[in-house]
Amino acid sequence: MAIRIGIMGYGNLGRGVEYAVDACEDMELAAVFTRRDPASLSIRKTGVPVVSVDKMDAWKDKIDVLILCGGSATDLPEQTPKYAKDFNVIDSFDTHARIPEHFAAVDASAKAGGKVAIISVGWDPGLFSLNRAYASAILPNGKDYTFWGRGVSQGHSDAIRRIEGVKNAKQYTVPVEAALEAVRSGKNPSLTTREKHTRECFVVAEEGADKARIEKEIKTMPNYFADYDTTVHFIDEKEFNEKHGGLAHGGFVIRSGATGEKTAHKHVVEFSLKLDSNPEFTASVLVAYARAAYRIAGEGGKGAKTVLDIPPAYLSPKTGEELRSSLL
Amino acid sequence: MAIRIGIMGYGNLGRGVEYAVDACEDMELAAVFTRRDPASLSIRKTGVPVVSVDKMDAWKDKIDVLILCGGSATDLPEQTPKYAKDFNVIDSFDTHARIPEHFAAVDASAKAGGKVAIISVGWDPGLFSLNRAYASAILPNGKDYTFWGRGVSQGHSDAIRRIEGVKNAKQYTVPVEAALEAVRSGKNPSLTTREKHTRECFVVAEEGADKARIEKEIKTMPNYFADYDTTVHFIDEKEFNEKHGGLAHGGFVIRSGATGEKTAHKHVVEFSLKLDSNPEFTASVLVAYARAAYRIAGEGGKGAKTVLDIPPAYLSPKTGEELRSSLL
């Protein structure tokens, strides 16, 4: 029988999960849950029920894994502990500093309900965390570097849009090639924030707006832009819609370390992603971990887990035997 | 108390394990076992016992994990099942086609003895396998590519040395940059053996040897060289010793896949290694998995496992809490 997946929240990420479930022969989309009026929500896959969150109780035995597709600011801190009581759940909680408290809240709830919850799944946190963990365990004498981009930062784009006179904006985080090369060379450089990434902004200004003021407000904005070399391009709405509609992203995790006599031998371990669609790729990671949650639940596991706790084989639809003969 | 490590076999890999154990605060080297006369073996770390394999019975309770550092052709198929009865063991068995039978033999033995055995640990099989497993589970619509090099192939170097008139030889496997770029572009190219790698050989000929014949014998050697574009450089012994004494290696695992409406969004997941010393890095991977074996044994686990079965957190000396707050 196919693994029955529920989606909670049907934004970019939820739609990505729908596509990712379609790509898996061992899964089926059982329902989409929404806080909106279900009649107002048109989902891609016809025939799949759209259900109000008020009626989730009736679905407890009809969903094997519920994938929570809300945001980390307000949705997930409330939803994941709440639903982990009654469902095996997956979330993509990505506020790094608050992961320990989120883990504790979800763990208590999942254990009380006898369910499995895998939190902070995606690529960072997620695949990047895995690579930091593997590489640092293997090369204890070494240093980790994470670079993001080139890609769209939703938070930074939003921050620009809040400036008076800005009609629309998109911000790209760009890793500095020279810094990447210095890290790859094994030199273990010390890099400031400014040396690692630049920020490139494409802005549509309201008619008659003071562009010089907007540019200055962007470049001096604390936390978001002040510590970076920032470039601002003013473009018209047509160009904005044609060229800046995508949600591409990516990045690099590099560990450089040394072994042997006088630690003379250098080693560089690099993991990188180049993604046309951040939400669709993140959704694909969530769905692979939904398979793991289903298996762990089947073995009687309970409580909160992260990607660091999950054996890689649990993500694959293949058996251990198939994996050993085909890709070990 | 520190994890007590035993090394079986003190060649390049065994010496690498000695260095890697030194780099781990939670481990200590308890003994080195050898088939040679222990008195003839001089190990780097003074004070550590060198013990004949005939006397291993006395060490059953004094070693937490035994790391088997022999070769895959004849040593490990015999040693791993033999020692998995009495010790938790790690090996780097790397004959891909024979992994299923090796796994079965080791599993039966480890289960009979109530021990844990992690086989085929290293980078390929090992870290490359992990990356193939993760990326293929996440992007089911996609294709895997593995490239090796630039690095020394011991087997190919040996094959050249068996040719009459060859005094010494080193063979480098070199990935073709254009093929790497085609894969990274997301085009999912079909690549022949010849299109993926070239082979570069540095040969010291015996005095008066027929170099043209040697070159022809290398380039036409079935399995080893005939399917590749091979370059042969004859050099003198001085240059050989100065420039070709290293054991550098590395490689790339790339999965390119697609998601979304009409699978229009492409994603590229890439993992790469650039290693100054293949045996020292492989040893570092073995030692991290020795930590995992120790933990799994402590939890009552038994039988054969591979890297695909091990939760990443088990490789790290940090607690789950530390990992979640520091690198998730």
Side-chain angles (χ1 to χ4, degrees):
Chain A
M1 206 175 86
I3 303 171
R4 298 164 302 174
I5 301 291
I7 293 174
M8 163 69 74
Y10 196 73
N12 284 334
L13 188 59
R15 280 191 291 273
V17 168
E18 187 181 10
Y19 283 115
V21 168
D22 270 2
C24 297
E25 287 179 11
D26 59 340
M27 297 192 180
E28 64 179 31
L29 182 59
V32 173
F33 300 98
T34 179
R35 286 173 295 192
R36 292 182 261 172
D37 172 8
S40 74
L41 189 67
S42 164
I43 69 166
R44 189 177 55 82
K45 207 169 173 86
T46 52
V48 171
V50 178
V51 180
S52 165
V53 291
D54 301 334
K55 302 198 170 148
M56 287 192 71
D57 272 359
W59 286 81
K60 284 184 192 176
D61 299 323
K62 297 178 193 165
I63 298 286
D64 293 311
V65 186
L66 178 66
I67 302 183
L68 302 169
C69 299
S72 295
T74 55
D75 298 334
L76 298 176
E78 185 223 313
Q79 290 179 349
T80 316
K82 178 174 172 184
Y83 294 115
K85 277 200 198 77
D86 295 323
F87 296 90
N88 300 310
V89 298
I90 306 285
D91 82 16
S92 63
F93 184 78
D94 66 359
T95 311
H96 291 261
R98 299 187 59 194
I99 287 174
E101 61 184 288
H102 187 60
F103 184 91
V106 174
D107 191 48
S109 169
K111 279 186 179 144
K115 298 292 179 185
V116 174
I118 311 181
I119 66 155
S120 299
V121 175
W123 57 274
D124 195 3
L127 303 186
F128 276 18
S129 322
L130 286 176
N131 278 278
R132 288 187 284 260
Y134 279 118
S136 62
I138 290 163
L139 293 175
N141 290 323
K143 200 169 165 188
D144 269 340
Y145 297 86
T146 301
F147 292 87
W148 297 274
R150 174 183 174 106
V152 176
S153 166
Q154 212 54 50
H156 288 76
S157 302
D158 291 346
I160 299 173
R161 277 195 291 266
R162 285 191 293 265
I163 294 173
E164 199 192 318
V166 171
K167 196 169 177 190
N168 215 339
K170 204 102 180 205
Q171 194 269 180
Y172 297 89
T173 304
V174 185
V176 175
E177 195 59 37
L180 268 171
E181 284 309 316
V183 169
R184 284 188 185 124
S185 74
K187 281 179 199 152
N188 280 5
S190 292
L191 296 167
T192 63
T193 298
R194 193 177 294 275
E195 286 167 332
K196 285 181 73 185
H197 297 93
T198 58
R199 299 198 176 277
E200 203 176 350
C201 314
F202 292 85
V203 179
V204 182
E206 305 274 7
E207 212 170 303
D210 179 351
K211 291 182 180 173
R213 176 195 44 85
I214 291 172
E215 181 164 346
K216 194 180 165 201
E217 280 195 41
I218 294 172
K219 290 186 170 177
T220 57
M221 196 185 296
N223 302 320
Y224 284 86
F225 294 100
D227 297 335
Y228 296 85
D229 288 336
T230 301
T231 320
V232 178
H233 307 278
F234 289 95
I235 59 176
D236 63 27
E237 199 148 20
K238 183 165 173 290
E239 184 181 349
F240 188 90
N241 292 334
E242 279 170 10
K243 295 188 186 163
H244 301 285
L247 291 167
H249 219 312
F252 304 80
V253 174
I254 305 176
R255 187 169 182 94
S256 140
T259 62
E261 193 63 30
K262 296 179 184 165
T263 56
H265 290 133
K266 309 285 181 210
H267 310 286
V268 179
V269 181
E270 176 168 347
F271 178 77
S272 69
L273 294 172
K274 204 170 62 186
L275 312 174
D276 274 0
S277 165
N278 184 356
E280 285 180 11
F281 185 81
T282 300
S284 300
V285 182
L286 291 170
V287 166
Y289 277 96
R291 184 179 290 119
Y294 175 74
R295 292 207 183 151
I296 293 168
E299 293 171 357
K302 7 184 126 40
K305 297 177 189 300
T306 76
V307 297
L308 302 174
D309 304 309
I310 313 290
Y314 279 52
L315 275 64
S316 173
K318 293 185 181 179
T319 65
E321 216 158 23
E322 287 169 339
L323 287 172
R324 285 191 292 277
S325 64
S326 69
L327 60 67
L328 194 68
Chain B
M1 206 176 86
I3 303 170
R4 299 164 300 174
I5 301 291
I7 292 174
M8 162 69 74
Y10 196 73
N12 283 333
L13 188 59
R15 279 192 291 272
V17 168
E18 187 181 10
Y19 283 115
V21 168
D22 270 1
C24 297
E25 288 179 11
D26 60 339
M27 296 192 180
E28 64 180 32
L29 181 60
V32 173
F33 300 98
T34 180
R35 286 173 295 192
R36 292 182 261 172
D37 172 8
S40 74
L41 190 67
S42 165
I43 70 167
R44 188 177 56 82
K45 210 172 170 83
T46 52
V48 171
V50 179
V51 180
S52 165
V53 292
D54 302 333
K55 303 197 171 152
M56 287 191 71
D57 272 0
W59 286 81
K60 285 183 189 176
D61 300 322
K62 297 178 194 164
I63 299 286
D64 293 311
V65 186
L66 178 66
I67 303 183
L68 302 169
C69 299
S72 296
T74 56
D75 298 334
L76 298 176
E78 185 223 312
Q79 290 179 349
T80 317
K82 178 175 172 183
Y83 294 115
K85 277 199 197 79
D86 295 323
F87 296 90
N88 301 310
V89 298
I90 305 284
D91 81 16
S92 64
F93 185 78
D94 67 359
T95 312
H96 290 263
R98 297 187 59 194
I99 286 174
E101 61 185 287
H102 187 60
F103 184 90
V106 174
D107 190 48
S109 169
K111 279 186 178 145
K115 298 293 179 182
V116 174
I118 310 182
I119 66 155
S120 300
V121 174
W123 57 275
D124 195 3
L127 303 185
F128 276 19
S129 322
L130 286 176
N131 278 277
R132 288 187 285 260
Y134 279 119
S136 63
I138 290 163
L139 294 174
N141 290 322
K143 201 170 165 186
D144 269 340
Y145 297 85
T146 302
F147 291 86
W148 297 274
R150 176 184 171 102
V152 176
S153 166
Q154 213 53 50
H156 287 76
S157 302
D158 291 345
I160 300 173
R161 277 194 291 266
R162 285 191 293 264
I163 293 173
E164 199 194 317
V166 171
K167 196 169 177 188
N168 214 338
K170 204 102 180 202
Q171 194 268 182
Y172 298 89
T173 304
V174 186
V176 175
E177 195 59 37
L180 268 172
E181 283 310 316
V183 168
R184 284 188 186 125
S185 74
K187 281 179 197 151
N188 279 7
S190 292
L191 296 167
T192 62
T193 298
R194 193 177 294 274
E195 285 167 335
K196 286 181 72 186
H197 297 94
T198 58
R199 299 199 176 278
E200 203 175 351
C201 314
F202 292 85
V203 179
V204 182
E206 305 275 7
E207 211 170 306
D210 179 351
K211 292 182 179 172
R213 176 193 47 84
I214 292 172
E215 181 164 347
K216 193 179 165 201
E217 280 194 42
I218 294 173
K219 290 186 171 178
T220 57
M221 196 186 296
N223 302 319
Y224 284 86
F225 293 99
D227 297 335
Y228 297 85
D229 288 335
T230 301
T231 320
V232 178
H233 306 277
F234 288 95
I235 59 175
D236 62 28
E237 199 148 20
K238 182 164 175 288
E239 184 181 347
F240 188 90
N241 292 335
E242 278 170 13
K243 295 188 185 163
H244 301 285
L247 291 168
H249 218 313
F252 305 81
V253 173
I254 305 176
R255 187 171 181 93
S256 140
T259 62
E261 193 63 31
K262 296 179 184 164
T263 57
H265 290 133
K266 310 285 181 211
H267 310 287
V268 179
V269 181
E270 176 168 347
F271 178 77
S272 68
L273 294 173
K274 203 171 60 187
L275 312 174
D276 274 359
S277 165
N278 184 355
E280 284 180 11
F281 184 81
T282 300
S284 300
V285 182
L286 291 170
V287 166
Y289 277 95
R291 184 180 288 117
Y294 174 75
R295 292 206 182 152
I296 293 168
E299 293 170 356
K302 7 182 124 43
K305 298 179 187 299
T306 76
V307 297
L308 302 174
D309 304 310
I310 313 290
Y314 279 52
L315 274 64
S316 173
K318 294 185 180 181
T319 65
E321 216 156 24
E322 287 168 338
L323 288 172
R324 284 192 293 276
S325 64
S326 69
L327 61 66
L328 193 68

